[in-house]
Amino acid sequence: MPTAKLNKRAIDALKPPAEKQFVLWDNEIRGFGIRVLPSGLKTFIIQYRNAEGIKRRVNLGRFGVLTVDQARDLAKIKLGAVASGEDPAEDARRARNEMNVSELCDWYLTEARAGRILGRRNRPIKESSLAMDESRIRTHINPLIGKRIARHLTIADVEAMQDDVAKGKTGKARTGGRGGKATGGRGVAARCLTTIQAILGHAKHKGLLAEHPTKGAKKLAGNKRTRRLSIAEIETLGKAMVYAEQQGVSPTGIAVIRLLLLTGYRREEGQAMQREWVNPMGGFVAFPDTKTGEQVRAIGPEAIKVIVAQTRIAGNPYVFAATTGDGPFTAVSACLQRVCGFAGITGVTPHVLRHTFASIAAELGFSELTIRAMLGHASQNVTQDYIHVDEALKLAVRRTSDEIAKLLAQGAAKLDRLRLVA
């Protein structure tokens, strides 16, 4: 354990470690030291064993905010309290129990981004999920209950928050990112309740709260999305995609639309697909990460044709590459709106294309279990229980994809006939 006389010169000379952390202990006061992180942050600490023999470590403050002499005096006070049987770490824990909701949310985001809070399947929570959590916290949760002491919250408090969000009381213009206005609504309200319940649950698990204060709060039922394209609309969309490309709409965007409709993949899965994940001969795409974790998903020949037809761009790993930079194409939603505008179809989102794929599969007679597996909903345990499901799944995906491709082609043929008549 490296030791030295802690003074400003010695601390200024400390270099950030390449990884983890480095602690330099004072050679005069046992248990007093300074911790250096790879980021360069330097924090005074004390380390001791409490009356139960448990090793504790407590932050005193950052170097620069505290001088060495101030930190040394504080260390003497706290270590003296330890000698008297007190436990400064337990005192700090009790103080954390008085955190308000806003402070607790900040703690959650910091811990989760550091990978110290686990989500589904005991894996770190995805950054995309944390970004949505942060948006709900900033826009809805903090304005309504941010100043409330977290452990004093009641079920009535969080259900009232949910009701206020549903009624649009937190609606306001966005200050950054995409979109024009945060309007609230039932769906957003229910997700806000889910977010705050999860944060309180993690706080209890980590010992910041003795109990989950709002366990049992009721979440609003959302408006289930049932929109899907009819047979006639699929044909019309096929016609509109041909026309849109003639009018200069991005061919990459149109290709993503076609792929989503032919596969039932989620928007992010389709537009951010990488070439190395695709196995054309095996008829599958090996996604390293999806909403439900790592998955191998069947894909039909018609969808493979769309992938193979995309131009390779050196240095860009994505099937649907952005026109600039080395990232993926990201404007499929806007492109879909333009195409649907030509078709005169309203209420269509990339998720509607996913519903449409499932709807066609159901009309072809495939079971709910098979359709869930086609969409990536079924767990791996389900598929492993049925040895025949892999080939059955490929057949189901191929037949569904072929049927949709046929309908799109019929629509495009109608445009050709119209052109010939003209």
Side-chain angles (χ1 to χ4, degrees):
M1 228 173 20
T3 62
K5 166 73 174 178
L6 289 189
N7 54 40
K8 187 175 185 304
R9 178 180 298 176
I11 294 173
D12 283 336
L14 291 175
K15 302 298 182 185
E19 56 183 3
K20 296 186 179 180
Q21 62 181 18
F22 172 78
V23 177
L24 179 64
W25 299 101
D26 186 57
N27 59 13
E28 292 186 352
I29 301 177
R30 181 179 175 83
F32 172 51
I34 188 159
R35 180 183 62 210
V36 187
L37 299 180
S39 64
L41 182 68
K42 299 174 182 178
T43 305
F44 292 109
I45 61 172
I46 58 169
Q47 182 170 288
Y48 61 93
R49 290 188 181 275
N50 65 11
E52 298 175 342
I54 300 173
K55 184 183 288 187
R56 301 286 200 185
R57 182 174 287 187
V58 175
N59 293 341
L60 300 178
R62 295 181 183 180
F63 173 60
V65 176
L66 288 180
T67 66
V68 179
D69 289 339
Q70 289 171 331
R72 188 181 298 277
D73 290 341
L74 187 57
K76 289 177 180 178
I77 293 171
K78 290 191 176 293
L79 291 172
V82 171
S84 302
E86 297 180 23
D87 189 345
E90 182 64 18
D91 294 340
R93 189 192 67 79
R94 292 194 188 100
R96 287 198 297 270
N97 281 340
E98 299 304 316
M99 282 196 293
N100 63 30
V101 171
S102 178
E103 292 167 337
L104 189 65
C105 289
D106 288 342
W107 164 83
Y108 163 76
L109 292 171
T110 299
E111 292 294 293
R113 287 195 165 113
R116 292 189 287 269
I117 292 179
L118 304 181
R120 290 181 178 179
R121 300 185 181 184
N122 293 324
R123 294 178 178 176
I125 300 170
K126 296 180 182 179
E127 179 56 39
S128 58
S129 297
L130 291 174
M132 290 188 287
D133 286 341
E134 184 173 18
S135 177
R136 293 179 199 124
I137 290 166
R138 183 180 63 251
T139 307
H140 304 291
I141 296 173
N142 279 349
L144 292 171
I145 60 172
K147 294 181 180 179
R148 298 291 305 275
I149 298 299
R151 70 184 181 94
H152 292 162
L153 284 175
T154 66
I155 289 175
D157 291 331
V158 294
E159 288 184 350
M161 174 207 72
Q162 178 180 228
D163 187 57
D164 285 343
V165 176
K167 292 177 178 176
K169 291 187 178 180
T170 48
K172 63 179 181 179
R174 297 187 192 274
T175 56
R178 297 180 297 174
K181 185 178 181 181
T183 56
R186 291 177 64 88
V188 174
R191 289 190 286 275
C192 284
L193 182 65
T194 298
T195 296
I196 190 62
Q197 291 291 79
I199 291 171
L200 293 169
H202 287 305
K204 177 183 181 298
H205 178 70
K206 293 291 188 178
L208 269 67
L209 295 175
E211 298 295 337
H212 190 312
T214 62
K215 188 174 181 179
K218 303 294 186 182
K219 185 172 71 171
L220 284 171
N223 297 320
K224 190 174 181 180
R225 293 177 290 184
T226 58
R227 174 76 166 102
R228 58 203 63 195
L229 297 176
S230 66
I231 299 297
E233 285 178 323
I234 296 174
E235 291 186 353
T236 303
L237 189 65
K239 179 167 59 177
M241 284 195 288
V242 175
Y243 180 75
E245 191 160 2
Q246 293 172 353
Q247 300 304 306
V249 176
S250 167
T252 302
I254 294 172
V256 178
I257 293 170
R258 184 179 295 274
L259 180 84
L260 296 180
L261 192 54
L262 292 173
T263 60
Y265 290 173
R266 299 177 181 93
R267 174 177 60 85
E268 297 83 357
E269 294 167 353
Q271 69 180 10
M273 183 186 296
Q274 295 191 25
R275 291 185 181 276
E276 67 176 1
W277 303 345
V278 183
N279 187 319
M281 297 300 295
F284 64 84
V285 179
F287 290 101
D289 191 24
T290 70
K291 188 175 181 179
T292 52
E294 182 180 356
Q295 283 189 344
V296 176
R297 303 265 284 282
I299 188 169
E302 290 295 330
I304 290 290
K305 289 178 186 177
V306 176
I307 293 172
V308 172
Q310 301 310 300
T311 303
R312 290 180 179 268
I313 297 179
N316 192 313
Y318 296 98
V319 173
F320 304 103
T323 53
T324 59
D326 57 1
F329 181 86
T330 59
V332 65
S333 295
C335 184
L336 180 59
Q337 290 307 306
R338 287 198 66 189
V339 173
C340 288
F342 292 132
I345 304 173
T346 59
V348 182
T349 66
H351 202 75
V352 170
L353 304 182
R354 181 169 165 84
H355 278 199
T356 301
F357 180 88
S359 177
I360 294 297
E363 290 177 6
L364 290 173
F366 294 110
S367 70
E368 182 179 346
L369 176 64
T370 299
I371 294 171
R372 286 179 60 82
M374 292 162 75
L375 295 175
H377 285 167
S379 69
Q380 292 299 313
N381 288 337
V382 171
T383 61
Q384 288 169 1
D385 287 342
Y386 298 89
I387 297 173
H388 66 275
V389 77
D390 288 341
E391 289 306 318
L393 206 57
K394 289 180 182 179
L395 175 62
V397 167
R398 179 169 188 159
R399 284 190 58 195
T400 305
S401 181
D402 286 350
E403 180 65 19
I404 294 171
K406 183 183 75 175
L407 295 172
L408 292 173
Q410 287 174 182
K414 291 177 183 178
L415 180 65
D416 290 338
R417 287 200 294 272
L418 288 173
R419 187 187 304 118
L420 288 172
V421 171

